[in-house]
Amino acid sequence: SWTLSAKKTGDLLIPELEINVDGEKIVTNEIKIKVYDSDNPKALKQNTNQKLPIIFILAEPEKKKLFKGEQVNVEYKLYSKANLRQYSFKAKPKGQGFWREELYEPKQPTFKEVDYNGEKYNVSTIYRIALFPTNVGQLTLDQLILNCSIETPSPRRDFSLFDDFFNDSFFSRTQEKIISSNSVTFLVEDIPQVNKPLNFSGAVGTFTISSSVDTNVVMVNNPLTFNLKLTGTGNLNLFEIMEPNFPSGLEVFPPNSNFVKDPFRDKISGVKTWEYIIIPRNSEEIIIPSIEIPFFNPATENWESSKTDKINIKVVANQNLLSNNKSINNQSFLVNKELRYIKENKIKFAKDNSSKLIPNIF
């Protein structure tokens, strides 16, 4: 047995299948199928004058026209007239041409009764995803496919007096069904080229960037920490910021990076951080220049940007100059929770009653 999914509309044909058994040819019959182009089962009912299906899935996108890199959410709702015993995902939509992030998949769906096209259904949202198109043109999101177990009434005589009695689950049977959602086609436009910044790296959404150092006064050959922080909503996983243009005279180590996503929003939001360890090699005034990130805001359809402030750092050669600066305590200075200044005071030893030498380091 096969599970088939139609990829085009019209009159389709499953052809004859031929097998050979002990030298004898056996041929199956052809199967004709009529496929309608519809975003929901209403069109099927209107075209065939038949009742709506007993169970079906609807894929509902926020919108179908968007920009490259812009987030669009798609929600999948399960409608059922039957008593649904259980279901499992047979195939989730892959979305060729999209970056995909799962937003919601309940372990135990909650159903409520609704009126759908004049008929009563129980409906529940069973899946929600965020899509970020990486190509332009017409992009199609394929179907969500479920394996479902539903209760259907057993064949019986129509005794209206005992309807409630015979509707009991004792007189029902479990039926396995494979159902699929509608596919969704999006029209994706490229981001505008007019006034496009030369340093644009693909950021689409709204973003804010900031920077800081743990000290503005440091001694030659001693480390300091430079932090870069990007906060925003949008395609955070699909672009990189430019490497900071550090001035000469600094030894810069590769950064530690981290990304914390906000799990309580349907828009992909979060904070990306980079932590650099920097060691100045010369006694001088240094300036870490401003860092800018341009981005396209699809809500306003405008180009916008965010940038950090310049940071001035004084590098001194004399230990006394550093210790006189009240903003620094060189004995408690901590870099990346691993590097500390070694205590420079001389260790004094004292004797106790047992004549053992105890170092007095405090």
Side-chain angles (χ1 to χ4, degrees):
S1 63
W2 289 266
T3 299
L4 306 180
S5 177
K7 293 186 175 181
K8 63 180 181 179
T9 60
D11 294 319
L12 305 186
L13 181 69
I14 299 176
E16 296 176 345
L17 299 179
E18 181 181 294
I19 62 172
N20 191 297
V21 180
D22 294 332
E24 181 183 354
K25 238 179 230 186
I26 301 177
V27 180
T28 69
N29 56 298
E30 295 179 338
I31 301 177
K32 294 180 180 180
I33 300 174
K34 192 171 190 66
V35 181
Y36 293 95
D37 182 14
S38 65
D39 284 340
N40 58 65
K42 291 181 183 178
L44 179 63
K45 181 177 180 180
Q46 292 167 357
N47 286 323
T48 62
N49 292 320
Q50 294 182 7
K51 290 185 177 181
L52 288 170
I54 192 172
I55 186 170
F56 61 88
I57 312 168
L58 278 187
E60 299 180 347
E62 288 179 320
K63 56 183 178 179
K64 294 186 177 181
K65 186 176 180 181
L66 62 155
F67 289 99
K68 179 181 177 181
E70 180 183 359
Q71 178 179 343
V72 60
N73 292 350
V74 182
E75 190 168 80
Y76 291 84
K77 293 182 178 180
L78 179 61
Y79 289 78
S80 178
K81 290 181 180 179
N83 183 16
L84 180 66
R85 298 183 66 88
Q86 63 181 13
Y87 69 85
S88 61
F89 289 94
K90 186 174 179 67
K92 292 181 178 179
K94 296 181 178 64
Q96 189 173 1
F98 294 95
W99 174 276
R100 183 174 62 93
E101 291 269 359
E102 293 189 350
L103 297 175
Y104 177 72
E105 183 184 334
K107 293 182 180 179
Q108 191 68 34
T110 302
F111 285 86
K112 64 178 181 180
E113 189 177 88
V114 297
D115 184 283
Y116 185 84
N117 202 31
E119 299 188 26
K120 297 294 183 183
Y121 278 90
N122 290 316
V123 62
S124 176
T125 298
I126 59 170
Y127 193 56
R128 189 183 300 122
I129 55 173
L131 302 174
F132 298 87
T134 56
N135 296 327
V136 297
Q138 284 195 344
L139 300 181
T140 299
L141 178 67
D142 50 1
Q143 299 164 313
L144 174 74
I145 302 175
L146 291 184
N147 276 328
C148 297
S149 296
I150 62 173
E151 286 184 359
T152 57
S154 298
R156 61 179 180 85
R157 291 177 296 172
D158 190 13
F159 293 104
S160 60
L161 182 61
F162 301 105
D163 273 348
D164 291 338
F165 176 76
F166 280 104
N167 279 334
D168 189 87
S169 60
F170 181 80
F171 294 94
S172 302
R173 59 188 176 90
T174 301
Q175 180 183 359
E176 301 295 324
K177 290 183 72 71
I178 296 178
I179 59 173
S180 61
S181 71
N182 51 300
S183 56
V184 183
T185 300
F186 298 91
L187 179 60
V188 182
E189 296 182 30
D190 200 358
I191 53 178
Q193 300 301 305
V194 178
N195 300 324
K196 179 181 176 181
L198 295 177
N199 58 339
F200 175 67
S201 60
V204 178
T206 55
F207 305 95
T208 302
I209 193 169
S210 61
S211 63
S212 64
V213 289
D214 56 356
T215 178
N216 293 93
V217 181
V218 66
M219 195 169 68
V220 172
N221 296 327
N222 282 344
L224 62 93
T225 304
F226 173 75
N227 294 294
L228 201 57
K229 180 179 179 181
L230 177 67
T231 305
T233 299
N235 60 344
L236 282 160
N237 289 318
L238 297 180
F239 69 91
E240 294 292 336
I241 63 170
M242 298 287 290
E243 182 76 14
N245 186 20
F246 293 105
S248 60
L250 297 177
E251 184 174 357
V252 182
F253 294 89
N256 291 325
S257 60
N258 187 39
F259 176 43
V260 179
K261 186 168 70 172
D262 184 350
F264 300 107
R265 298 183 59 186
D266 281 346
K267 294 295 182 181
I268 301 299
S269 302
V271 179
K272 271 189 172 183
T273 57
W274 295 263
E275 183 183 71
Y276 293 83
I277 300 300
I278 300 173
I279 301 179
R281 297 305 186 189
N282 302 312
S283 175
E284 59 185 343
E285 294 275 352
I286 61 175
I287 298 176
I288 299 179
S290 174
I291 302 167
E292 182 180 25
I293 174 172
F295 56 88
F296 179 71
N297 187 341
T300 61
E301 298 188 12
N302 291 322
W303 289 103
E304 301 176 18
S305 67
S306 176
K307 63 180 181 179
T308 66
D309 296 326
K310 295 179 181 179
I311 296 179
N312 296 295
I313 300 173
K314 183 177 181 180
V315 184
V316 297
N318 192 316
Q319 171 67 31
N320 293 329
L321 290 176
L322 184 63
S323 60
N324 289 336
N325 191 302
K326 295 181 179 180
S327 64
I328 303 295
N329 181 350
N330 67 331
Q331 292 186 0
S332 62
F333 181 51
L334 177 64
V335 178
N336 201 25
K337 300 181 180 180
E338 296 178 356
L339 304 178
R340 292 181 183 269
Y341 279 95
I342 298 174
K343 190 169 183 70
E344 297 177 352
N345 295 341
K346 292 182 179 179
I347 298 176
K348 298 178 182 180
F349 292 88
K351 290 184 178 181
D352 66 356
N353 295 333
S354 61
S355 298
K356 292 181 180 178
L357 290 176
I358 306 295
N360 181 12
I361 61 174
F362 298 104

